[in-house]
Amino acid sequence: MSITYRKLVEFISELYDISNRTIPKDVKESLKSALSRERNPLAKKILEMMLKSAEVAEKERLIICQDTGIPQFFVKVGTKFPYDIDLESAIKEGIEKITKEAYYRGIAAHPLTHVRSSTNTGERMPIITYEFLHDAKYLEITAVPKGSGSERWSALKMFDPYDVIKDIKKFVLDSFINAGSRPCPPVIIGVGIGGTFDYVAKLAKEAAIRPLNKRNPDPNVAKLEMELLDAINETGIGPMGLGGDTSALGVNIETAYTSAVWNPVAVNFQCWPGRRATGRIYSDGYVEYL
Amino acid sequence: MSELMFKISAPVSEDTIRRLKIGDMVLINGSMYIFVSIKSHLRALEMSKKGESLPINLKEGIIFHCPALFKKVEDKYEIVAVGATTSARLNPFTPELIKQFRIRCIIGKGGMDKATLEAMKNYGCVYLDFIGGCSPLYADKIEGITNIYWSDLGIYDAVIEIKVRDFGPILVTMDSHGNSIYEKVEEDTKSKLPIIYKKLGI
């Protein structure tokens, strides 16, 4: 058996559906440990409801949030994967298929008229980014439905590198406070530091979808992640902004070398369900969901 | 916070609303309206201003800021998923809506502004916070759509009457006595910020 265009369409459609109905394992684990630490009785109750929602969604295959988002895909192409299929068309078709079949909201719209396409596809939609995986025989794809709460409050700033660490800390904390209850806390905060204007946003997005049990391998960056997480949880904003010790489940930072004369910082959020799903499809058509 | 559980159904009396305090939990039974679009708010207020009677019985009713997901089965709509949008976008219309129709409960997300809190105090209304990402918990609590009003606006802007059973628990976060959990949390955060900044060295 080998991979076909149809199989790829099915894979994309199924992967996107999983991302809207299943809360990632690391997010559930993180919610559980947050619940054990939370001291505010109301916040405890809300965290319990969130965990229950995750359980029911998985068991009954229900949609977690009515805002099924605009679709974004992170594609890693194995260099030994037979890349002669029109992947981009397959992704578009997969999204059109699941949007129709699962009654997702067609929220994708023209940037000037804001008229909706109803299919969640259009010019450069879904959003797709590619990278290569050396020697791999598969495609690894992460599907991320971005609801308005999780994307609308993102922030990016080009700093002068006078007081780098201070600027980063203040920008992340202030961006979180500005977002407040709107991205449905406890949020996952993705932070990009360095690179260029465009690349820092990509880093923030990649950080936001990194599993919560993985720290940045650089010990100084990992320390900054923990320090910012503690600070954000001390704000008392709490689950859904109704007060408590649990305002964020994690702060994930990704970095890249940048210019000596400026420093870009970007912040992106995932609302508490941390919706994402990753799967692989091999050259023989075999599919696995990670 | 008292954290009592109250059962309410529309039409809701002012007395019932005055008994509710922030932190209380509410279960809703009977009829409520998915009433979330700016277009439907504008139409309701315009008709009321002209003295025209509405096809919808909003009087002492319960409204839900819910951009629901629907599916159409043989020309009939069914609800696929529910959740609340950020209510703040309806701030400009809500005080007048409460005044004109004595709306008793508004279910939404993130709270509303001071003018709305004031109207809630003056006319007897509470705000209930719908926890995000919890659509699965309400799937078996919605018995169905009973009416669609102003369908000329399109399904996402129309007003949809639904019948619910023990819909909740939903939390009272703004009461009719001028109390708002959002204000309390905001003040609390503001007071903590200088300490947090100092700790971070900023």
Side-chain angles (χ1 to χ4, degrees):
Chain A
M1 252 191 357
S2 70
I3 181 147
T4 60
Y5 179 81
R6 286 306 330 153
K7 241 176 233 168
L8 206 50
V9 170
E10 290 293 331
F11 170 60
I12 294 296
S13 145
E14 176 69 12
L15 187 68
Y16 196 65
D17 203 39
I18 291 172
S19 74
N20 262 302
R21 295 175 201 269
T22 318
I23 290 174
K25 203 167 167 249
D26 57 288
V27 176
K28 280 186 284 186
E29 290 307 315
S30 176
L31 280 168
K32 277 181 205 158
S33 73
L35 177 61
S36 70
R37 286 188 310 265
E38 179 61 60
R39 293 167 301 171
N40 179 315
L42 181 60
K44 262 183 187 295
K45 207 165 277 176
I46 295 170
L47 291 172
E48 276 165 4
M49 280 176 75
M50 288 169 172
L51 277 162
K52 181 87 186 151
S53 175
E55 189 191 313
V56 177
E58 205 169 325
K59 209 164 75 190
E60 316 267 342
R61 268 187 76 80
L62 293 171
I63 290 173
I64 297 156
C65 176
Q66 89 292 347
D67 187 347
T68 46
I70 61 161
Q72 182 161 17
F73 289 91
F74 296 83
V75 180
K76 291 179 183 171
V77 185
T79 51
K80 293 207 170 140
F81 182 81
Y83 189 61
D84 54 3
I85 292 173
D86 184 354
L87 179 57
E88 202 163 313
S89 296
I91 291 177
K92 273 201 178 180
E93 203 177 320
I95 279 298
E96 281 167 7
K97 180 176 183 288
I98 196 66
T99 297
K100 195 162 176 254
E101 284 174 4
Y103 310 99
Y104 288 168
R105 170 162 307 133
I107 194 94
H110 186 277
L112 297 184
T113 62
H114 272 252
V115 171
R116 299 171 186 214
S117 68
S118 86
T119 54
N120 277 329
T121 58
E123 181 195 24
R124 295 183 174 132
M125 178 64 68
I127 315 276
I128 311 169
T129 57
Y130 301 93
E131 60 184 278
F132 294 101
L133 279 177
H134 183 65
D135 235 18
K137 287 178 187 152
Y138 53 80
L139 276 181
E140 185 178 300
I141 303 184
T142 299
V144 183
K146 286 303 276 191
S148 24
S150 75
E151 194 70 0
R152 168 70 178 81
W153 312 104
S154 307
L156 191 155
K157 196 167 173 182
M158 306 294 287
F159 287 95
D160 289 325
Y162 297 138
D163 208 338
V164 173
I165 301 297
K166 197 170 145 181
D167 286 341
I168 293 166
K169 285 177 178 175
K170 189 165 189 316
F171 188 63
V172 174
L173 185 62
D174 290 352
S175 300
F176 166 76
I177 289 170
N178 177 54
S181 68
R182 292 174 292 199
C184 289
V187 286
I188 299 160
I189 303 171
V191 180
I193 306 170
T196 49
F197 177 74
D198 58 324
Y199 200 70
V200 75
K202 186 171 185 281
L203 289 175
K205 189 56 86 56
E206 282 175 1
I209 61 168
R210 193 177 81 200
L212 286 162
N213 47 15
K214 283 187 184 152
R215 296 270 54 81
N216 188 294
D218 179 332
N220 287 324
V221 179
K223 198 178 141 228
L224 190 57
E225 290 177 339
M226 294 316 293
E227 205 182 338
L228 280 168
L229 177 62
D230 287 345
I232 281 161
N233 283 333
E234 274 171 35
T235 61
I237 286 177
M240 295 308 291
L242 298 173
D245 303 314
T246 318
S247 300
L249 297 177
V251 175
N252 292 347
I253 301 176
E254 291 294 329
T255 58
Y257 254 55
T258 188
S259 161
V261 294
W262 35 259
N263 196 46
V265 183
V267 179
N268 183 250
F269 299 97
Q270 282 277 71
C271 26
W272 75 262
R275 292 181 298 181
R276 60 173 149 80
T278 303
R280 283 180 187 169
I281 186 161
Y282 289 78
S283 45
D284 62 358
Y286 173 74
V287 167
E288 65 177 333
Y289 297 102
L290 305 178
Chain B
M1 279 180 230
S2 46
E3 286 184 44
L4 296 170
M5 186 79 84
F6 289 85
K7 281 201 177 198
I8 58 172
S9 48
V12 190
S13 72
E14 187 177 343
D15 269 7
T16 306
I17 291 302
R18 297 287 178 198
R19 277 199 290 272
L20 297 174
K21 304 269 170 9
I22 51 170
D24 288 340
M25 295 283 188
V26 166
L27 286 179
I28 298 168
N29 279 286
S31 160
M32 64 187 214
Y33 296 99
I34 290 180
F35 194 85
V36 62
S37 74
I38 289 176
K39 284 180 192 166
S40 58
H41 278 68
L42 283 171
R43 188 178 283 186
L45 291 176
E46 215 167 278
M47 287 180 76
S48 148
K49 202 174 163 188
K50 285 186 194 155
E52 294 171 20
S53 67
L54 269 65
I56 313 160
N57 184 16
L58 285 177
K59 190 98 183 141
E60 302 200 303
I62 301 165
I63 63 173
F64 187 9
H65 293 161
C66 168
L69 278 189
F70 301 99
K71 67 174 172 185
K72 211 173 182 180
V73 185
E74 290 164 6
D75 282 347
K76 276 200 142 177
Y77 282 103
E78 286 175 22
I79 291 178
V80 175
V82 291
T85 188
T86 297
S87 298
R89 75 178 62 162
L90 298 162
N91 278 338
F93 319 104
T94 305
E96 191 61 22
L97 200 76
I98 294 172
K99 186 181 170 191
Q100 292 302 326
F101 302 102
R102 297 294 191 271
I103 302 293
R104 295 293 186 214
C105 298
I106 298 170
I107 308 164
K109 193 183 95 175
M112 301 190 77
D113 64 1
K114 266 207 177 312
T116 306
L117 187 63
E118 195 60 29
M120 289 177 165
K121 194 174 159 185
N122 291 340
Y123 305 106
C125 175
V126 292
Y127 183 88
L128 307 162
D129 198 285
F130 191 91
I131 308 303
C134 286
S135 178
L137 300 181
Y138 296 87
D140 59 352
K141 295 178 176 179
I142 300 170
E143 293 185 335
I145 295 174
T146 44
N147 266 305
I148 299 178
Y149 299 99
W150 297 340
S151 54
D152 60 296
L153 297 175
I155 189 71
Y156 291 116
D157 287 326
V159 177
I160 293 151
E161 186 175 4
I162 57 173
K163 199 172 171 220
V164 296
R165 195 185 56 238
D166 285 340
F167 189 86
I170 323 180
L171 185 75
V172 179
T173 48
M174 293 165 75
D175 65 24
S176 67
H177 307 283
N179 303 306
S180 155
I181 292 189
Y182 309 98
E183 275 185 3
K184 284 186 197 295
V185 173
E186 208 180 313
E187 281 162 23
D188 180 45
T189 302
K190 238 181 230 164
S191 73
K192 284 174 176 164
L193 263 187
I195 307 157
I196 299 171
Y197 278 151
K198 207 175 161 191
K199 216 165 150 184
L200 287 175
I202 53 182

